[in-house]
Amino acid sequence: MFKNKIYWGLLSILLLLTIVTGILTRNSYAIEDVSLGNILEKEDQIQVQLNEDPDYLSVYFENQLTDFPQMQDRSEAIVKVKVTNERENTMYAILSSVTVSEVYKGDGIRSGDRIYIYEPGFFYNSEVYTSYGGYNLMSEDKEYILFLKHLPIPKGYHYKDQEAITYLPVSSYFSKYPVSGNKATQTLDEDAEVLYKTVKNYEILTVKKEMLTKYQSFKKEVFHSFNSTD
């Protein structure tokens, strides 16, 4: 029994290290190094696919947050940003460059800095947008308040170059809030075919009513805490 525990423990560690290494070697997974504007010209043909598997998502994201103060505490950086047009569509994520306009939390980040965000969604062959854990991409014409954490790395590894200013959302559901919100967001029908053009302005993409309700509750607290207007 004890040997079995050791075996599964080592296997879990190796799996986590493999996933982290996959993130850090992102360039080898690039599938389209083009502006998303080129892809989204076909938004009326792109279908939406959701992955809301909690076991898979828990490797990267904290989606079981119970309240807003907990999310603030888990965040290494809280910033207001605007997306640039420097965005790379990789396998499993969009790597987006953003310009920081305000810093609410975050050592070493200043207003005017450029940082990078792995957004948990990607386009496959310009035909399918896959969203992980409710995430919908930031639009280049909007400002957002983001709750971020650094890329997870193995013990002893040191960030290199751009990795030091590259972040993940703390939660795939609850870490991104447009400063000018879209009240049209609603849950998706699990069995319906959905085109990206229909939901491109939704704040999150989910079939789970409880996730949308919690998002809307957190959003009110974000606006109250950071003096944003909805």
Side-chain angles (χ1 to χ4, degrees), residues 97-136:
S97 166
V98 302
T99 301
V100 177
S101 54
E102 289 190 48
V103 180
Y104 307 109
K105 179 180 180 181
D107 294 337
I109 305 177
R110 296 176 298 180
S111 178
D113 283 355
R114 179 171 290 198
I115 62 175
Y116 295 84
I117 314 296
Y118 270 116
E119 300 190 73
F122 77 104
F123 293 92
Y124 181 73
N125 284 345
S126 300
E127 296 175 353
V128 178
Y129 171 65
T130 298
S131 163
Y132 292 102
Y135 194 88
N136 199 7

Side-chain angles (χ1 to χ4, degrees), residues 14-224:
L14 287 172
L15 177 61
L16 179 59
L17 291 180
T18 300
I19 292 169
V20 171
T21 302
I23 292 177
L24 297 177
T25 56
R26 59 192 175 277
N27 289 335
S28 64
Y29 293 93
I31 54 177
E32 288 180 284
D33 187 9
V34 296
S35 167
L36 288 190
N38 296 334
I39 296 175
L40 293 178
E41 287 177 359
K42 303 176 182 179
E43 65 182 24
D44 59 342
Q45 302 171 36
I46 298 172
Q47 294 191 341
V48 175
Q49 176 176 290
L50 305 184
N51 183 335
E52 296 193 82
D53 179 355
D55 293 329
Y56 175 81
L57 295 168
S58 65
V59 175
Y60 297 110
F61 306 108
E62 299 186 44
N63 290 332
Q64 301 303 317
L65 296 167
T66 58
D67 54 42
F68 179 64
Q70 187 182 40
M71 184 167 67
Q72 289 180 292
D73 183 62
R74 301 287 175 86
S75 300
E76 296 176 57
I78 304 173
V79 290
K80 183 189 289 185
V81 306
K82 190 168 186 178
V83 188
T84 74
N85 60 4
E86 181 188 346
R87 307 178 87 178
E88 181 182 341
N89 185 39
T90 71
M91 187 64 76
Y92 305 122
I94 301 290
L95 179 60
S96 297
S97 166
V98 302
T99 301
V100 177
S101 54
E102 289 190 48
V103 180
Y104 307 109
K105 179 180 180 181
D107 294 337
I109 305 177
R110 296 176 298 180
S111 178
D113 283 355
R114 179 171 290 198
I115 62 175
Y116 295 84
I117 314 296
Y118 270 116
E119 300 190 73
F122 77 104
F123 293 92
Y124 181 73
N125 284 345
S126 300
E127 296 175 353
V128 178
Y129 171 65
T130 298
S131 163
Y132 292 102
Y135 194 88
N136 199 7
L137 298 177
M138 292 184 283
S139 299
E140 292 176 14
D141 60 344
K142 291 184 179 180
E143 277 192 309
Y144 295 85
I145 294 175
L146 305 179
F147 295 78
L148 306 171
K149 61 182 179 180
H150 278 101
L151 292 174
I153 56 175
K155 185 177 181 180
Y157 182 91
H158 298 285
Y159 292 113
K160 298 175 182 176
D161 304 321
Q162 186 178 303
E163 293 168 0
I165 53 171
T166 302
Y167 297 84
L168 286 174
V170 172
S171 165
S172 59
Y173 288 99
F174 310 123
S175 290
K176 173 180 64 68
Y177 299 88
V179 173
S180 297
N182 187 333
K183 296 181 174 64
T185 301
Q186 56 188 288
T187 54
L188 306 185
D189 186 337
E190 191 167 6
D191 299 318
E193 289 189 1
V194 178
L195 295 177
Y196 191 73
K197 71 171 184 178
T198 305
V199 299
K200 65 179 182 179
N201 292 319
Y202 281 20
E203 292 163 324
I204 65 173
L205 303 176
T206 181
V207 299
K208 301 179 179 181
K209 186 176 180 180
E210 68 274 17
M211 288 302 190
L212 180 56
T213 299
K214 184 181 287 189
Y215 177 90
Q216 291 167 336
S217 175
F218 279 21
K219 180 181 174 182
K220 291 178 182 178
E221 297 194 63
V222 170
F223 290 151
H224 176 74

